[in-house]
Amino acid sequence: MAGDRFDVIIVGAGIVGLSSAYHIKKNNPDMEVLVIDRANTYAQGNTAKSAASIRDLFSEEVNFKLSHSTIEFYKYLNSHGNDIGLSMVGYLFLLRSGDRRSDILRKLASKTKIRFFEGDEIDTFPGLKAHPDSDLVDLMGLSNVDEGVLGENCGTVEPELISQYYYEESKKLGVEFMFRTELNEFTLAPVKKIDFPGEPFLWQDKIIGDLQTNRGPLHADTYVCATDVWATKLLDNTGIDSHIRPKKRQIFQLSGPAVEKILYGWKYNEQHVIPFTILPFRAAYLRPAPKFKSIWVGVADDFNRNFDLEDDPQPERDFFEKSLMQIISAYYPDLSDAKLTGSWAGYYSYNTIDKSPYIFRDLNLIVATGTSGSGILKGDGIGRNVEAILSGKNVVKLFDGTSYETDHTGLYKRTTLNEEIVL
Ligand SMILES: Cc1cc2nc3c(=O)[nH]c(=O)nc-3n(C[C@H](O)[C@H](O)[C@H](O)COP(=O)(O)OP(=O)(O)OC[C@H]3O[C@@H](n4cnc5c(N)ncnc54)[C@H](O)[C@@H]3O)c2cc1C
C-alpha cells in the first residue's frame, strides 16, 4: 500500500482513530481512508488500559453533549445485538457536605437520570464505612460521606469490544488498515515545490507532506493525528502545538471473598453490582469488574505525578500499598483483606487548561487529542467531530440529536469552560 494515494490517513487506531475512520467513511463513501498504527492490531494503546467507565456527568456543556450522545450510541448498539460489554450499573459519587460537585450534579439532574441518597440510606451501601475511624481522619484529613449521588445513565463498557465494533464496521465500509506501521513524525512541505534544499521557506505556503513510516512513504490529502499522548512528539517539528501533557494512571485489580461481599448485593441497579464508586477523598475510585469477580481501584493523582512519558509504563506496588489502599481501606475496611490479582498503567492525554478534548484543524491536518481520561465515554462524539471538521461543516451533529459548533473544541474560537468533574 505504500506509494498509494489516499484522501485521508488516520494515524492511531485507538478508540479516537477508529471512531473517526468509521464516521468519515460512512459520511464520505467515495473517500479512500487508511488507518495506520505502530501496534500489531487496533486498540493496543491507552484504549486497552482504560477503566472504561462511562458517565454523562460533566459540568461543561460540550463534554456533557459528547458523553451523553456517546452513551446513547453505545446503548443503541447494545440494544441492536452488538456486544460491547455494556453494563449500566451507575456511577456513584460519595460526597462530603459542601462539595461543589453536589451543586453541579444537582443541576445535571434536569438533563439526565440522577438519584440522591443521604442519611440512613448511605449506611446500607455494602461494605461502606461512611464515617472513617477518627485517627485516620486526623492523620490523613479524610472526610465523611454525607451524600451519595448516583448517575443512572452511566456504567461500564469493554473498550476492546467497542473498538472491535468500529474496526469491523469501518472495514466493511472499505476503510483500509496498516498495522506495525510507525510514523516518524509529521513534516511540513511546500505547497509549490521549487526543489531547493531547505524548503519550505518562510514565504512558501505549507502543508503536511508525505508521511515517512518504517514501511515507506504514505500520501494523503488530509491527515488525522489520533495518537493521544504521542501527538506532542509527532507534531513538535511542525510547530503545531498539541496542547496536552501525559499523566500516568494506574489500575489495580482486587479479588477474593472480601471483594465479592462488596461487589454484589447493591440494591439500586438490575445487576445487583456495586456502581462505579468515587470516594469523597482524592477521588479514589472502585470500578466493578464482575466478569473477573473483581473490583478495580484507581485514582487521579495530580500532585506528585510528573509528566514523564515512558514506553512501557508500569504500575507501582509502593503507590498501591502506601497511598491508594490507605484511602480505599479507610472507607471499605474489608478490602484490606483483598488479594491483588492484577495491575497495569497507561496515560491520560491531559489538557491541562480546561480538561476537555482538543479537536482542531491546522493546514491539512486534523488533531484529535486531550481526552483527559474520558476518551472511551466520548469516543463516538469525538469521531463525529473529526468527520465534521474534515467535511468542512461548522456544526457537529451528535447521535442523540444535539449539536455544537466545531470551533468549540478547536483552538482559536474555543468556548469550552474548565471541566470540574475530572477523574
Ligand atoms: C488507567 C486509565 C483509566 C482510564 N479510565 C477511563 C474511563 O474510565 N473512561 C474513559 O472514557 N476513559 C478512560 N481512560 C482514558 C481513555 O483510555 C483514553 O481517553 C482513550 O483510550 C484515548 O483513546 P485514543 O484513541 O486517543 O488513544 P490510544 O488508545 O492511546 O490510541 C493511540 C494510538 O496511536 C498509536 N501510535 C502512537 N504513536 C504512533 C506512531 N508514531 N505511529 C503509529 N501509531 C502510533 C498507538 O499505538 C495507539 O494505538 C483511562 C485511561 C487510563 C490510562
Side-chain angles (χ1 to χ4, degrees):
M1 248 182 294
D4 292 352
R5 179 144 209 120
F6 292 87
D7 293 296
V8 185
I9 297 178
I10 298 168
V11 186
I15 186 79
V16 169
L18 293 167
S19 165
S20 301
Y22 170 75
H23 287 296
I24 289 171
K25 187 69 180 171
K26 195 159 176 246
N27 283 276
N28 306 277
D30 295 336
M31 280 191 178
E32 299 293 331
V33 181
L34 172 69
V35 181
I36 66 167
D37 199 294
R38 64 185 177 187
N40 291 339
T41 184
Y42 58 89
Q44 298 300 295
N46 291 307
T47 296
K49 309 290 181 69
S50 180
S53 57
I54 55 172
R55 62 172 160 123
D56 56 0
L57 307 175
F58 284 90
S59 63
E60 209 286 322
E61 176 82 20
V62 173
N63 284 332
F64 175 78
K65 288 182 176 175
L66 281 169
S67 59
H68 187 76
S69 67
T70 296
I71 292 175
E72 292 309 302
F73 184 65
Y74 292 171
K75 281 160 56 182
Y76 170 84
L77 292 183
N78 184 60
S79 63
H80 284 72
N82 300 287
D83 181 10
I84 53 165
L86 181 74
S87 182
M88 297 301 281
V89 288
Y91 219 95
L92 177 69
F93 283 87
L94 299 173
L95 302 172
R96 63 172 169 77
S97 64
D99 190 317
R100 205 183 127 56
R101 288 173 300 175
S102 177
D103 297 337
I104 297 168
L105 293 164
R106 277 176 198 281
K107 282 196 196 129
L108 282 171
S110 61
K111 296 188 187 175
T112 187
K113 269 180 90 180
I114 299 188
R115 184 171 180 158
F116 297 87
F117 300 89
E118 51 191 26
D120 295 349
E121 279 177 318
I122 293 173
D123 294 330
T124 67
F125 294 172
L128 174 67
K129 193 173 171 75
H131 296 85
D133 290 341
S134 56
D135 54 337
L136 293 181
V137 171
D138 290 346
L139 177 72
M140 298 168 71
L142 301 175
S143 27
N144 291 337
V145 177
D146 301 308
E147 186 185 15
V149 185
L150 180 67
E152 295 189 305
N153 193 40
C154 305
T156 56
V157 287
E158 291 185 31
E160 60 281 13
L161 293 180
I162 287 277
S163 302
Q164 187 183 4
Y165 171 83
Y166 284 119
Y167 172 68
E168 285 178 356
E169 291 305 309
S170 298
K171 277 187 73 155
K172 276 188 216 159
L173 293 171
V175 173
E176 296 182 50
F177 286 82
M178 276 174 75
F179 295 111
R180 291 178 287 277
T181 306
E182 178 153 17
L183 171 66
N184 300 331
E185 61 186 1
F186 289 99
T187 47
L188 292 174
V191 173
K192 281 189 203 154
K193 265 187 162 186
I194 54 167
D195 285 327
F196 195 86
E199 63 179 335
F201 299 107
L202 176 66
W203 42 268
Q204 285 176 300
D205 286 336
K206 294 160 197 70
I207 52 170
I208 299 295
D210 296 348
L211 302 188
Q212 302 304 324
T213 76
N214 57 333
R215 305 250 225 141
L218 294 166
H219 326 270
D221 294 338
T222 309
Y223 300 102
V224 177
C225 176
T227 53
D228 201 46
V229 279
W230 298 281
T232 310
K233 182 170 154 270
L234 293 173
L235 289 171
D236 268 357
N237 184 46
T238 63
I240 297 171
D241 192 353
S242 68
H243 297 272
I244 56 115
R245 302 195 79 185
K247 273 271 186 183
K248 182 172 165 181
R249 293 284 182 255
Q250 310 172 59
I251 293 183
F252 300 90
Q253 175 171 288
L254 306 179
S255 313
V259 169
E260 288 172 40
K261 251 173 56 187
I262 295 167
L263 181 61
Y264 306 108
W266 175 258
K267 283 198 295 193
Y268 305 99
N269 59 28
E270 283 173 10
Q271 299 84 342
H272 298 293
V273 160
I274 187 177
F276 186 96
T277 301
I278 302 106
L279 302 182
F281 190 70
R282 302 280 185 259
Y285 64 76
L286 282 68
R287 192 273 200 199
K291 192 170 169 182
F292 308 101
K293 293 189 177 165
S294 300
I295 289 176
W296 299 347
V297 293
V299 68
D301 50 328
D302 276 339
F303 297 112
N304 275 18
R305 182 63 59 194
N306 63 28
F307 294 102
D308 285 353
L309 179 60
E310 295 164 46
D311 282 345
D312 185 18
Q314 292 299 312
E316 298 151 19
R317 182 78 190 229
D318 224 38
F319 175 78
F320 167 73
E321 285 171 359
K322 294 187 186 144
S323 289
L324 180 58
M325 272 317 279
Q326 299 304 320
I327 299 174
I328 300 278
S329 58
Y331 291 96
Y332 285 91
D334 292 344
L335 288 183
S336 37
D337 295 331
K339 273 189 279 183
L340 177 63
T341 50
S343 56
W344 60 92
Y347 288 99
Y348 280 10
S349 65
Y350 225 130
N351 165 351
T352 53
I353 298 287
D354 61 29
K355 301 162 200 100
S356 303
Y358 274 121
I359 313 167
F360 61 94
R361 182 182 182 122
D362 250 335
L363 308 175
N364 56 336
L365 174 72
I366 297 168
V367 180
T369 187
T371 48
S372 306
S374 49
I376 307 290
L377 65 87
K378 295 177 189 156
D380 189 69
I382 291 174
R384 288 172 199 262
N385 192 326
V386 171
E387 187 280 323
I389 294 178
L390 181 95
S391 303
K393 299 171 190 162
N394 294 329
V395 170
V396 185
K397 292 205 170 122
L398 297 169
F399 177 74
D400 63 359
T402 60
S403 58
Y404 60 87
E405 289 177 28
T406 43
D407 281 346
H408 287 185
T409 52
L411 288 183
Y412 306 112
K413 296 183 189 161
R414 190 172 180 82
T415 57
T416 45
L417 303 171
N418 181 47
E419 176 53 58
E420 297 193 55
I421 308 188
V422 181
L423 298 173

